[in-house]
Amino acid sequence: MSCMNDFDLQQTDVPVGISVIEASAGTGKTWTIAHLVPRLLVDGVVNNIGEILLVTFTEDAARELGDRTRRQLATLVACHDQGVQPKPTEPGIALLLERLATLDDEARIAAKVRLRLALEESDQLWVSTIHAFCKRVLAAEPFLCGLSAAVELIPDDSEIRADAVKDTWRADIGCDPVLAAAASVGEWSVKQDLTSWQEVTRRSETRFEPDPTSLAAARQTIVESIVAVQNQRDGLLAIKAIAQRDGIRLNRSGEAAERELERWHGLLMGMNPEHHAADLFEITTKLADGTSWFSRRSRAGKAACKEVAELPVVRAATEFTTEIKRLTWAWTKHVCDASQKRLELTLRRKNAITYSGLIARLHASLCREGNRGVLARRLATRWRVGLIDESQDTDGRQLEIFQA
């Protein structure tokens, strides 16, 4: 990739390959692209205007870019044919006329023919958003892109995305007491999972950091952390003894917990984490907050808090809360991956593609799949030059489409 410094419409050579014109907003990137089209015709880089592809990132911008390019082309042809100088507000046209004048007679005649023909066929200039470009290619070459004929475009995929997340919840949480309890303690929600999935798929380079462990492994660790609390259940009786010492005051939550400690001790002894996860998770979560039950206004209260914090059962309960966060992270990764697979299966069944999936499908076809070479050659034959406006908004996957 080359970067052009001090780009000059008349003097700067446009190298083969990918080049970038970097400039601040409002300094002329779109102006340059609108003038590069007639320059490419003047230089004979393209023989007709249909060999040029213009891409931008909103439909309004695409219409404006197309209109500006066609106006510049019409102005250039009119000024040359009439032998007049352009208005002072058209310095780009003056530069293009100078470039025409430097050509020898044969080259200048050929350039004039190309310009006039381009003006007559200006409707063949393809100016679109990246999504519209992908849609056109997929419609023109469905088999090379791994699609069947007459594939349906679903503009709004919000409903089938929501269904994919809900199906994942039903399949993986609905029949699993441990994950169901974790979802309650961790305050998981379908809405939040859908938002996370959308964030992950919005930009192809998004990654989970740190990389979460598998859901199965994180689930097993949670079960083991509950067993660790159960093994230290006699610590609950120690907490009760501390709470009953002279000079120790409990707040309201502490008083309520102190009344439950003996019952919790019995439950921890007799319950299977695989079958009674909801009750065990609730008890363990409260134990992790055990130091907050004691008033710290007195020296005895402060000492009691410190003593409770050091109890193995409280340390095990605190570790459980940490593992819940890790399990939540593993679940988020899992629900994104599983929902994506469900979405893709649904689309195959419907013979459909979503608006947001247009870029992903063309990228896969051009960069990974077996027909990528044939497809790339066909597109290179169809469009010899591609100009991208607002290229700072082009993510890695979109750039690779044009590099292919």
Side-chain angles (χ1 to χ4, degrees):
M1 180 183 294
S2 61
C3 184
M4 302 179 191
N5 296 315
D6 300 324
F7 178 81
D8 182 270
L9 184 63
Q10 164 72 321
Q11 302 295 331
T12 304
D13 292 330
V14 180
V16 175
I18 294 179
S19 300
V20 175
I21 300 175
E22 292 183 329
S24 302
T27 56
K29 294 188 297 295
T30 302
W31 180 93
T32 300
I33 288 177
H35 287 79
L36 271 174
V37 170
R39 177 179 153 173
L40 292 169
L41 290 161
V42 169
D43 293 351
V45 175
V46 295
N47 291 315
N48 62 77
I49 200 168
E51 295 177 337
I52 300 174
L53 170 69
L54 301 185
V55 176
T56 188
F57 286 85
T58 68
E59 293 182 357
D60 288 343
R63 282 191 292 271
E64 179 188 356
L65 179 58
D67 290 343
R68 288 178 66 174
T69 301
R70 293 181 180 97
R71 284 199 303 270
Q72 301 309 316
L73 185 59
T75 302
L76 176 62
V77 171
C79 288
H80 184 274
D81 288 352
Q82 297 170 18
V84 298
Q85 288 298 311
K87 297 178 181 178
T89 55
E90 293 285 1
I93 299 300
L95 292 173
L96 290 169
L97 288 171
E98 291 178 14
R99 194 170 186 86
L100 266 172
T102 63
L103 301 177
D104 60 42
D105 291 344
E106 183 178 352
R108 186 165 56 254
I109 292 172
K112 288 190 292 184
V113 170
R114 288 192 295 270
L115 289 169
R116 292 190 183 111
L117 185 61
L119 183 59
E120 293 173 4
E121 299 177 344
S122 61
D123 59 327
Q124 294 185 16
L125 176 65
W126 183 259
V127 189
S128 72
T129 63
I130 180 66
H131 287 90
F133 165 70
C134 293
K135 178 183 176 182
R136 179 175 181 177
V137 174
L138 295 176
E141 303 288 356
F143 302 117
L144 289 179
C145 295
L147 300 173
S148 57
V151 64
E152 176 190 0
L153 175 63
I154 301 177
D156 183 0
D157 61 358
S158 57
E159 183 175 349
I160 58 176
R161 278 182 171 270
D163 287 344
V165 174
K166 291 174 184 176
D167 288 345
T168 301
W169 269 66
R170 280 190 285 267
D172 297 329
I173 294 181
C175 60
D176 189 325
V178 173
L179 291 182
S184 177
V185 171
E187 299 181 341
W188 302 355
S189 71
V190 169
K191 182 178 180 181
Q192 180 57 49
D193 286 345
L194 183 58
T195 299
S196 297
W197 180 26
Q198 290 170 333
E199 288 297 321
V200 168
T201 55
R202 181 169 291 125
R203 299 190 72 86
S204 60
E205 53 266 48
T206 302
R207 297 290 184 271
F208 280 84
E209 293 291 345
D211 189 25
T213 185
S214 70
L215 181 63
R219 181 193 182 281
Q220 180 59 33
T221 301
I222 278 291
V223 172
E224 292 171 357
S225 68
I226 287 292
V227 172
V229 172
Q230 290 179 295
N231 291 338
Q232 300 295 334
R233 59 186 177 274
D234 288 347
L236 275 70
L237 303 180
I239 296 175
K240 188 174 182 68
I242 294 170
Q244 292 177 344
R245 292 175 184 168
D246 291 340
I248 299 299
R249 297 185 62 184
L250 302 175
N251 54 34
R252 288 185 178 181
S253 61
E255 291 173 352
E258 193 267 339
R259 291 192 294 269
E260 295 286 337
L261 286 171
E262 289 185 2
R263 185 178 72 86
W264 291 351
H265 180 270
L267 292 175
L268 287 173
M269 180 171 57
M271 285 186 170
N272 185 332
E274 291 287 354
H275 301 138
H276 304 94
D279 289 331
L280 292 173
F281 279 30
E282 180 182 6
I283 292 170
T284 302
T285 301
K286 290 180 179 179
L287 286 174
D289 202 32
T291 57
S292 69
W293 300 344
F294 296 84
S295 172
R296 294 180 172 85
R297 294 181 179 178
S298 66
R299 181 178 299 177
K302 293 177 181 178
C305 288
K306 183 177 180 180
E307 187 176 353
V308 168
E310 294 300 322
L311 290 172
V313 69
V314 174
R315 291 203 302 268
T318 302
E319 180 62 24
F320 164 83
T321 61
T322 300
E323 293 302 333
I324 279 289
K325 294 177 182 177
R326 294 193 179 105
L327 178 59
T328 299
W329 191 231
W331 167 256
T332 302
K333 175 70 160 58
H334 171 81
V335 75
C336 291
D337 292 345
S339 298
Q340 183 65 34
K341 291 178 181 177
R342 282 186 164 84
L343 173 64
E344 292 172 359
L345 180 59
T346 298
L347 293 174
R348 283 197 295 270
R349 289 172 177 169
K350 292 177 174 289
N351 188 31
I353 189 169
T354 65
Y355 184 77
S356 59
L358 292 169
I359 293 174
R361 177 88 300 272
L362 184 57
H363 177 266
S365 302
L366 278 170
C367 301
R368 296 199 306 271
E369 297 176 355
N371 293 322
R372 59 186 182 275
V374 177
L375 179 61
R377 286 192 292 273
R378 287 197 182 184
L379 297 184
T381 300
R382 175 68 181 82
W383 291 291
R384 297 186 62 191
V385 175
L387 302 175
I388 306 173
D389 196 14
E390 304 296 342
S391 61
Q392 71 274 8
D393 295 324
T394 305
D395 64 24
R397 186 171 54 182
Q398 295 168 8
L399 180 60
E400 287 174 1
I401 286 176
F402 294 104
Q403 286 177 321

